[in-house]
Amino acid sequence: MSPHTPRLTAKGRATRQRIIEGAAVEIRARGVALTTLEDVMARTRTSKSQLFHYFPDGKDQLLLAVAAHESQLVLDDQQPHLGALTSWAAWRRWRDSVVDRYRRQGQNCPIAVLMSDIGRTTPGAAAVTTELITQWRGAIATGIESMQAQGKIADSVNAERAAAALLAGIQGGVGIMLATGDLTYLEYALDEGIAALR
């Protein structure tokens, strides 16, 4: 939160969250450039004074809050699987949860919005994106290290590099899916990335 954001009651936190979620929906549908504060107010049924009460620094502050929200959503949607990569069956469940997530959301991708639209236009959003990628890669690397400790992945595998490559494959597959609607590239990236660990 900005130093200018007031302390909030439970009701205030709920209203602020509703504004963030409504803004996220608008941005996914229209992009950052075409989403106005008026669009957000209409979607969330809030007044201009309410919007500026919760986001006194205006659109940039709201966009940064949306970036943080979308970032957390990406990680939360992969749980509990991402945090429990301790068997090949667990890796399969994680793989399936990632594919299913993108199948359900289609071209409404929070990470694409975060990495492209918001990331290029909002101060601070690059730091949010970097933190997301660092946490995501770290969770995958922890899973690899857990499997190494069990003797299921060779010790010669560099967990950080392998996790980074797998994550890059996921993002490449997501990028192709967003451009073409074809989910198979994401599936292949996950399948081949996980198979390479065996």
Side-chain angles (χ1 to χ4, degrees), residues 4 12 18 26 41 84 87-88 124 133 140 160 168 186-187 191:
H4 303 110
R18 182 168 46 87
E26 286 293 322
M41 288 184 290
S87 69
W88 291 120
I133 296 301
I140 296 169
E160 288 295 326
L186 174 60
E187 293 178 296
D191 292 343

Side-chain angles (χ1 to χ4, degrees), residues 16-31 35-37 39-41 43-44 51 55 62-63 65-66 69-70 113 118:
R16 184 177 188 277
Q17 188 62 30
R18 182 168 46 87
I19 294 168
I20 292 168
E21 290 172 4
V25 171
E26 286 293 322
I27 290 166
R28 280 188 229 132
R30 300 169 180 255
T35 299
T36 66
L37 292 179
D39 296 326
V40 174
M41 288 184 290
R43 175 170 290 279
T44 60
L51 192 96
F55 302 96
L62 175 58
L63 290 175
V66 169
H69 168 75
E70 296 288 66
V113 170
I118 296 176

Side-chain angles (χ1 to χ4, degrees), residues 80-123:
H81 310 295
L82 181 61
L85 298 173
T86 57
S87 69
W88 291 120
W91 281 82
R92 181 68 186 189
R93 286 190 295 273
W94 171 65
R95 175 256 188 230
D96 291 347
S97 75
V98 172
V99 171
D100 183 58
R101 175 184 197 280
Y102 285 102
R103 182 177 288 115
R104 281 183 288 113
Q105 75 187 20
Q107 295 180 307
N108 255 346
C109 176
I111 197 165
V113 170
L114 179 62
M115 294 177 92
S116 58
D117 279 1
I118 296 176
R120 286 196 298 250
T121 61
T122 306

